[in-house]
């Protein structure tokens, strides 16, 4: 299904290009070069890290049947918490990074965890509560970076540069790929192992497949719903912390949410049909599309927003295919 969805989206996108007079033979090579050639691979890897982290923030609750769409707010909360700890609490190197990231994880987990009792006690869908809580959290982070944490004597909504001790170690010469890459990869591997090889992973999957059957079998479904939502928020908060502790080593208002990591991550998880092992690969594919779109715009004159159309078409095709399978199953039943 993921292969068919991507192929179908590319076919439809090619038709759109032909209708508007764009040569696909120039656009697609320019997209690939913009992502992996001419020194752009570092930027692609740097974008892959937060996108994969946000995919985990969405995929983990989804395995329990919960939809976490508040990634932007959780990420912003984590980013501003990491910046505040790094600026306010002077700590030595290494310790400062760990403390800031822990603050980011805690902030993101708390923001997402607020949705848990609303879901388990009041019956409000997490897809609604996480999204509604996200908006004021993004605004709160914007307020903090514009006033209490603002860089003095500038008109730019940003914090001062964080102390050197709180900078994530760089893994490449350009500095854009940091220690966040192996950290997120290790967390992804841990999630894959826990999902497929542990009792907790089995209980989470059982809850996602049939909540009432899992409850009948003794699974604490309400507790798992709260746990997965908080864990998803923790992943999103960690992403915010990793972004802030990397170049340009400050919290810039809007810099975390503007690239659209949350939307790309949701699209990647849906494209993977929520299968954990496929998530890193679909994230890599959509990251290449997102970053390569800039190169396509420069070389072929094709608006980079076309890559967002591709992502949207992929989601539509996956949704239609899922609906068709559901209708067939109902008729067979």
């Amino acid at each position: 299904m993921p292969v068919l969805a991507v192929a179908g989206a590319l076919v439809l996108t090619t038709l759109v290009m032909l209708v508007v007079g764009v040569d696909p033979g120039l656009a697609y090579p320019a997209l690939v070069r913009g992502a992996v050639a001419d020194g752009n691979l570092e930027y692609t890897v740097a974008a892959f890290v937060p996108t994969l982290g946000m995919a985990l923030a969405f995929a983990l609750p989804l395995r329990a049947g919960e939809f976490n769409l508040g990634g932007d707010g959780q990420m912003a909360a984590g980013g501003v918490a990491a910046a505040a700890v790094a600026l306010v609490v002077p700590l030595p190197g290494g310790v400062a990074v760990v403390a800031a990231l822990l603050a980011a994880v805690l902030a993101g987990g708390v923001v997402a965890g607020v949705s848990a009792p609303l879901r388990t006690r009041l019956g409000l869908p997490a897809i609604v509560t996480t999204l509604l809580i996200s908006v004021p959290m993004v605004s709160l982070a914007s307020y903090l970076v514009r006033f209490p944490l603002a860089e003095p004597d500038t008109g730019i909504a940003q914090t001062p540069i964080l102390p050197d001790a709180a900078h994530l170690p760089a893994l490449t010469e350009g500095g854009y790929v940091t220690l966040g890459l192996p950290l997120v990869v290790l967390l992804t591997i841990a999630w894959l192992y826990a999902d497929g090889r542990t009792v907790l992973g089995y209980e989470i999957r059982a809850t996602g497949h049939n909540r009432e059957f899992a409850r009948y079998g003794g699974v604490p479904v309400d507790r798992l719903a709260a746990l997965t939502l908080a864990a998803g928020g923790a992943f999103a908060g960690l992403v915010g912390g990793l972004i802030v502790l990397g170049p340009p080593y400050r919290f810039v208002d809007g810099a975390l949410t503007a690239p659209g990591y949350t939307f790309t991550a949701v699209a990647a998880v849906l494209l993977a049909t929520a299968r954990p092992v496929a998530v890193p690969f679909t994230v890599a594919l959509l990251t290449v599309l997102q970053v390569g779109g800039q190169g396509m715009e420069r070389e072929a004159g094709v608006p980079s927003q076309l890559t967002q159309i591709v992502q949207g078409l992929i989601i539509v095709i996956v949704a239609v295919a899922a609906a068709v399978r559901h209708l067939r199953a109902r008729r067979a039943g």
Side-chain angles (χ1 to χ4, degrees):
M1 189 59 236
V3 175
L4 293 177
V6 173
L10 291 178
V11 168
L12 293 175
T13 304
T14 301
L15 293 177
V16 172
M17 289 183 183
L18 294 175
V19 169
V20 299
V22 175
D23 184 3
L26 296 176
Y28 287 127
L31 185 148
V32 175
R33 286 193 299 272
V36 300
D38 302 326
N40 294 321
L41 182 59
E42 181 177 355
Y43 300 104
T44 303
V45 175
F48 171 78
V49 173
T51 307
L52 179 58
M54 295 307 295
L56 298 182
F58 179 72
L60 200 157
L62 184 63
R63 296 293 276 176
E66 304 293 347
F67 290 82
N68 177 23
L69 292 185
D72 279 353
Q74 297 150 19
M75 180 170 50
V80 77
V85 169
L87 290 171
V88 175
V89 184
L91 294 170
V95 178
V97 172
V98 172
L101 290 181
L102 287 177
V105 168
L106 180 61
V110 168
V111 172
V114 171
S115 300
L118 298 177
R119 169 70 177 90
T120 59
R121 301 298 181 186
L122 302 180
L124 299 176
I127 191 174
V128 175
T129 56
T130 54
L131 189 59
L132 291 179
I133 293 172
S134 175
V135 177
M137 282 311 307
V138 172
S139 300
L140 176 60
S142 178
Y143 165 78
L144 293 175
V145 77
R146 288 174 181 272
F147 296 101
L149 300 176
E151 184 177 21
D153 302 324
T154 64
I156 304 176
Q158 62 184 20
T159 65
I161 294 180
L162 305 183
D164 292 342
H167 292 185
L168 276 174
L171 301 181
T172 57
E173 186 176 350
Y176 289 97
V177 179
T178 67
L179 197 63
L181 173 61
L183 177 59
V184 171
V185 169
L186 287 175
L187 289 174
T188 303
I189 294 173
W191 172 59
L192 293 175
Y193 177 81
D195 182 83
R197 300 286 183 175
T198 66
V199 174
L200 178 62
Y202 171 77
E203 291 180 342
I204 290 174
R205 296 197 312 273
T207 300
H209 283 300
N210 191 320
R211 183 178 296 265
E212 293 308 316
F213 179 79
R215 192 193 305 274
Y216 178 78
V219 176
V221 294
D222 290 345
R223 189 184 308 167
L224 286 181
L227 175 65
T228 55
L229 282 171
F235 273 116
L238 175 65
V239 169
L242 293 175
I243 295 174
V244 170
L245 300 186
Y249 305 110
R250 65 171 86 210
F251 188 106
V252 181
D253 189 26
L256 276 68
T257 56
Y261 296 127
T262 299
F263 175 77
T264 304
V266 170
V269 175
L270 294 179
L271 176 59
T273 58
R275 289 178 296 177
V277 114
V279 168
F281 299 99
T282 55
V283 168
L285 172 63
L286 295 190
T287 301
V288 167
L289 286 176
Q290 188 178 39
V291 178
Q294 305 297 326
M296 185 174 63
E297 187 172 37
R298 290 192 304 269
E299 294 188 29
V302 179
S304 59
Q305 286 78 10
L306 189 66
T307 59
Q308 297 178 3
I309 295 176
V310 176
Q311 294 181 17
L313 288 173
I314 288 173
I315 293 176
V316 170
I317 293 173
V318 170
V320 169
V324 169
R325 288 197 303 269
H326 179 68
L327 289 176
R328 287 178 177 175
R330 289 186 60 182
R331 290 176 181 175

